[in-house]
């Protein structure tokens, strides 16, 4: 009986060796096919002149090049997988990632390919003007799905050459068809516990006291509670616990955005609205005005220390924090900012719209106001000064070869409003603040008194400077609508001297000369 078993065993060994040989042959054929596809694609790409004949702009060419690199990295990844299976050594695959949205198998890709996919996604969102409406994650998934469709067509031999337009085109169509949300986004705020009747509109932004809001939304909240059924969390109950420490809400109407991006747009618009209040009253009165999710002070605190005799001593502090404003708080804001109501409302609408800030006029102001809100929420004095001077640099776009002088000069011209005394004060204040800022960021340091003095002196002129640059930017946009930061900087340089003396002349379409500021 041993012979038949031995014979069968030999047969099995022979069969196994034959099967292994066939498997190696299949792997080799797959490697050859993949390499041939890559070589053919490169050849077709070079001979067809596709890169030169594309009708897309340079940015869309960048999308095409990025997608072609994704394709090449995908083929390299498939070759890597084939070798790993053949050698039964998978240690080389640990760095691979999954292509988001890819349908089916073979969704692994080298990090270089995933980076190219991200580049293509970012450029397409920018090209379509949706980078503030749709997340980069969603765009990558749309491209991944379209890429898998193109790969499937090539694998099934329906075509022989990878075409990036057949990836970007369907992805963009899916992007435009994507369902997005319209809604009002409610951000709790520590604002003014004593102000019970606040209900102020700044464009799409409403600052409203907590009780007024809860009364207004009573029915909707009750309905939300009634819908709660275990084992689902009690969302309304959790929210009611969360808002206990807050006294106001900032409600922002945002349309046509993915929820994730809508919250970002809402917060930008909300912080901008609070900035108008912060710069009107100053840091001393508004330092505790903060939105939920920011640098919030502890609701209550307690301290322990021991005296020289070993006695335990305690102190406590608790809220409500916020400002000491009463219900008339908006009167001062209206006095100082009322003349700019239309500009502020329009800019708040731009922020809340979620639309792309492709115009540098809007992008510069958005960044400057972001830095201002961060400065007023910053718990460290020295970083607060750094953020505020950076905000002024975002507005002024000073000349690179003389930043301090140029920054001081432009802020004086924008905030001086034909008042030479005021302009000189701004000029010297900005120079001093920039010196202290430089000492901080370059490690030399500055005393607490120097930092505090520089900040509060600078803050005195903040409204005048912001208002000046806002008018100047609006006028430049109407007169020449620059499409790049470099062109905006040139327009600002050309017009700002004349703006000090006559905004009307400086912002005219045909302004062909500059006036001396005599500063």
């Amino acid at each position: 009986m041993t012979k038949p078993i031995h014979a069968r065993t030999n047969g099995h060994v022979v069969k196994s060796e034959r099967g292994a040989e066939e498997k190696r042959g299949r792997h080799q054929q797959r490697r050859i096919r993949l390499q041939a596809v890559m070589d053919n694609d490169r050849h077709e790409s070079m001979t067809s002149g596709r890169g030169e004949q594309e009708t897309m702009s340079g940015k869309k060419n960048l999308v095409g090049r990025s997608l072609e690199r994704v394709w090449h990295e995908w083929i390299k990844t498939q070759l890597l997988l084939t070798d790993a299976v053949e050698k039964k050594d998978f240690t080389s695959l640990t760095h691979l990632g999954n292509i988001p949205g890819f349908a089916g198998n073979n969704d692994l890709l080298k990090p270089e390919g995933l980076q190219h996919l991200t580049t293509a996604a970012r450029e397409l969102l920018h090209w379509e003007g949706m980078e503030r409406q749709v997340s980069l994650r969603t765009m990558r998934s749309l491209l991944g799905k379209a890429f898998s469709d193109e790969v499937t067509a090539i694998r099934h031999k329906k075509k022989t050459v990878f075409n990036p337009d057949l990836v970007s085109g369907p992805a963009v169509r899916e992007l435009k068809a994507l369902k997005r949300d319209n809604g009002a986004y409610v951000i709790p705020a520590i604002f003014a516990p004593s102000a019970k009747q606040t209900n102020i509109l700044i464009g799409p932004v409403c600052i409203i006291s907590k009780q007024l809001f809860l009364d207004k939304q009573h029915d909707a909240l009750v309905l939300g509670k009634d819908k709660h059924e275990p084992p689902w969390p009690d969302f309304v109950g959790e929210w009611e616990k969360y808002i206990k420490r807050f006294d106001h809400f900032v409600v922002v109407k945002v349309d046509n955005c993915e929820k994730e991006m809508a919250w970002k747009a809402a917060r930008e618009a909300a912080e901008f609205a609070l900035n108008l209040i912060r710069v009107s009253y100053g840091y001393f009165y508004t330092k505790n005005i903060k939105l939920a999710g920011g640098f919030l002070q502890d609701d209550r605190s307690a301290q322990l220390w021991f005296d020289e005799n070993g006695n335990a001593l305690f102190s406590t502090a608790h809220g409500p924090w916020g400002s000491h404003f009463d219900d008339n708080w908006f009167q001062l804001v209206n006095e100082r900012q009322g003349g700019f109501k239309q500009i502020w409302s329009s800019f708040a609408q731009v922020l809340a719209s979620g639309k792309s800030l492709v115009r540098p006029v809007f992008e510069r102001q958005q960044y400057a106001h972001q830095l201002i809100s961060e400065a007023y929420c910053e718990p460290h004095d020295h970083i607060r000064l750094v953020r505020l001077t950076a905000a002024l640099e975002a507005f002024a776009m000073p000349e690179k070869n003389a930043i301090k002088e140029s920054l001081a000069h432009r802020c004086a011209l924008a905030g001086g409003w034909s008042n030479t005394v005021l302009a000189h004060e701004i000029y010297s204040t900005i120079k001093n603040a920039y010196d202290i800022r430089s000492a901080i960021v370059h490690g030399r340091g500055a005393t607490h008194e120097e930092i505090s003095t520089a900040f509060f002196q600078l803050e005195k002129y903040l409204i005048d400077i912001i208002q000046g640059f806002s008018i100047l930017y609006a006028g430049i946009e109407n007169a020449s609508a620059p499409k790049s930061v470099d062109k905006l900087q040139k327009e600002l340089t050309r017009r700002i001297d004349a703006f000090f003396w006559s905004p009307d002349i400086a912002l005219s379409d045909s302004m062909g000369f500059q006036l001396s500021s005599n500063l």
Side-chain angles (χ1 to χ4, degrees):
M1 292 183 62
T2 57
K3 279 191 175 182
I5 295 174
H6 185 63
R8 285 198 299 270
T9 303
N10 285 339
H12 178 69
V13 170
V14 171
K15 187 175 181 181
S16 298
E17 289 179 348
R18 188 182 300 120
E21 186 65 31
E22 290 175 355
K23 196 172 185 180
R24 283 194 293 272
R26 287 196 300 271
H27 287 317
Q28 183 65 24
Q29 289 174 5
R30 185 168 186 262
R31 186 186 298 108
I32 292 171
R33 285 199 305 271
L34 286 167
Q35 190 64 53
V37 168
M38 177 180 275
D39 293 341
N40 182 57
D41 185 74
R42 285 173 174 167
H43 175 73
E44 291 291 333
S45 179
M46 287 186 294
T47 57
S48 66
R50 184 171 63 215
E52 289 75 15
Q53 294 175 10
E54 284 181 354
T55 58
M56 298 178 182
S57 72
K59 287 184 178 178
K60 281 209 169 179
N61 280 332
L62 175 58
V63 172
R65 290 194 299 271
S66 297
L67 291 174
E68 285 181 338
R69 288 164 183 161
V70 172
W71 165 244
H72 292 151
E73 292 299 330
W74 182 83
I75 292 179
K76 290 178 184 177
T77 304
Q78 301 310 303
L79 291 169
L80 189 65
L81 289 167
T82 301
D83 288 340
V85 171
E86 183 176 332
K87 296 175 183 177
K88 296 182 180 179
D89 179 7
F90 301 99
T91 56
S92 62
L93 307 182
T94 56
H95 65 296
L96 301 182
N98 298 95
I99 301 174
F102 194 97
N105 300 322
N106 302 311
D107 65 336
L108 294 177
L109 187 62
K110 296 173 69 177
E112 296 88 341
L114 292 172
Q115 184 57 51
H116 291 310
L117 184 70
T118 299
T119 299
R122 184 179 290 111
E123 287 298 321
L124 273 179
L125 283 176
H126 180 72
W127 177 262
E128 298 298 329
M130 293 185 184
E131 68 260 49
R132 297 180 69 245
Q133 294 177 318
V134 177
S135 69
L136 186 61
R137 181 180 62 255
T138 296
M139 190 68 243
R140 289 173 80 238
S141 294
L142 295 176
L143 279 174
K145 172 61 171 64
F147 179 79
S148 70
D149 292 342
E150 179 73 353
V151 167
T152 299
I154 293 174
R155 291 180 66 192
H156 291 172
K157 299 182 180 179
K158 295 179 181 178
K159 54 185 301 185
T160 58
V161 179
F162 176 82
N163 186 345
D165 292 345
L166 295 181
V167 176
S168 60
V172 168
R173 287 194 291 274
E174 289 293 322
L175 172 67
K176 292 180 178 179
L178 193 67
K179 188 179 185 317
R180 284 165 275 168
D181 297 318
N182 299 327
Y185 292 78
V186 182
I187 307 173
I190 294 175
F191 183 72
S194 299
K196 307 296 185 183
Q197 301 300 318
T198 303
N199 192 1
I200 300 298
L201 278 175
I202 303 174
V205 181
C206 176
I207 304 174
I208 185 171
S209 64
K210 181 162 76 172
Q211 196 54 55
L212 283 181
F213 176 83
L214 294 178
D215 291 344
K216 185 176 180 181
Q217 300 297 334
H218 175 268
D219 292 345
L221 294 174
V222 169
L223 184 61
K225 250 185 177 179
D226 291 343
K227 289 181 178 179
H228 164 63
E229 293 181 6
W232 297 105
D234 180 7
F235 292 112
V236 176
E238 290 295 320
W239 182 78
E240 288 177 337
K241 291 177 186 176
Y242 177 68
I243 66 168
K244 281 184 178 179
R245 69 176 302 191
F246 300 98
D247 53 81
H248 278 66
F249 294 107
V250 183
V251 185
V252 185
K253 191 176 185 304
V254 181
D255 292 337
N256 208 29
C257 286
E258 273 190 309
K259 193 172 274 78
E260 174 188 345
M261 307 305 289
W263 278 111
K264 292 181 180 180
R267 191 173 186 92
E268 284 184 352
E271 289 285 15
F272 167 71
L274 292 182
N275 280 351
L276 302 180
I277 301 164
R278 289 162 174 153
V279 300
S280 295
Y281 277 93
Y283 176 77
F284 183 79
Y285 295 100
T286 63
K287 61 184 177 181
N288 289 322
I289 292 179
K290 292 182 174 68
L291 295 177
F295 290 108
L296 292 179
Q297 190 170 347
D298 290 339
D299 192 33
R300 55 176 63 238
S301 63
Q303 294 176 316
L304 163 67
W305 72 98
F306 296 91
D307 65 15
E308 59 186 8
N309 298 317
N311 297 313
L313 303 174
F314 300 88
S315 69
T316 63
H318 62 85
W321 307 115
S323 68
H324 295 292
F325 298 163
D326 59 19
D327 283 322
N328 297 317
W329 66 266
F330 194 69
Q331 183 176 340
L332 179 65
V333 178
N334 198 43
E335 288 174 1
R336 297 184 176 182
Q337 309 267 23
F340 295 81
K341 187 180 299 183
Q342 185 174 354
I343 287 181
W344 302 148
S345 295
S346 298
F347 188 65
Q349 185 63 59
V350 169
L351 292 176
S353 71
K355 293 180 180 177
S356 176
L357 301 178
V358 291
R359 295 289 197 191
V361 160
F362 299 123
E363 184 271 333
R364 289 286 83 194
Q365 293 184 84
Q366 182 273 331
Y367 184 52
H369 281 287
Q370 175 187 325
L371 290 168
I372 291 171
S373 66
E374 290 174 358
Y376 275 82
C377 293
E378 172 61 52
H380 303 100
D381 294 338
H382 61 299
I383 301 302
R384 186 180 310 116
L385 178 63
V386 171
R387 292 187 192 279
L388 196 57
T389 53
L392 294 180
E393 286 189 63
F395 275 125
M397 293 187 295
E399 301 294 339
K400 293 180 180 179
N401 57 351
I403 294 178
K404 180 176 73 173
E405 294 289 337
S406 179
L407 176 64
H409 183 72
R410 293 185 177 195
C411 286
L413 294 174
W417 296 96
S418 303
N419 184 331
T420 55
V421 174
L422 175 61
H424 275 290
E425 291 175 356
I426 294 174
Y427 181 79
S428 59
T429 297
I430 297 291
K431 286 184 67 177
N432 176 65
Y434 196 84
D435 284 338
I436 303 300
R437 169 258 178 211
S438 296
I440 294 168
V441 300
H442 295 300
R444 296 192 300 275
T447 67
H448 173 76
E449 183 179 0
E450 289 173 330
I451 294 169
S452 180
T453 299
F455 176 84
F456 286 112
Q457 285 182 343
L458 178 58
E459 190 185 39
K460 285 196 306 184
Y461 306 107
L462 201 52
I463 290 181
D464 295 320
I465 295 171
I466 292 173
Q467 290 174 346
F469 276 118
S470 298
I471 292 292
L472 185 56
Y473 275 136
I476 288 175
E477 178 67 15
N478 290 333
S480 60
K483 293 181 174 59
S484 70
V485 172
D486 287 342
K487 289 182 179 178
L488 174 59
Q489 188 177 39
K490 290 177 182 178
E491 286 294 319
L492 189 68
T493 301
R494 189 167 74 91
R495 297 173 187 269
I496 194 166
D497 284 354
F499 180 83
F500 175 75
W501 298 107
S502 174
D504 290 339
I505 292 177
L507 301 175
S508 63
D509 293 347
S510 57
M511 209 273 305
F513 60 92
Q514 294 179 327
L515 300 177
S516 169
S517 64
N518 292 327
L519 289 178

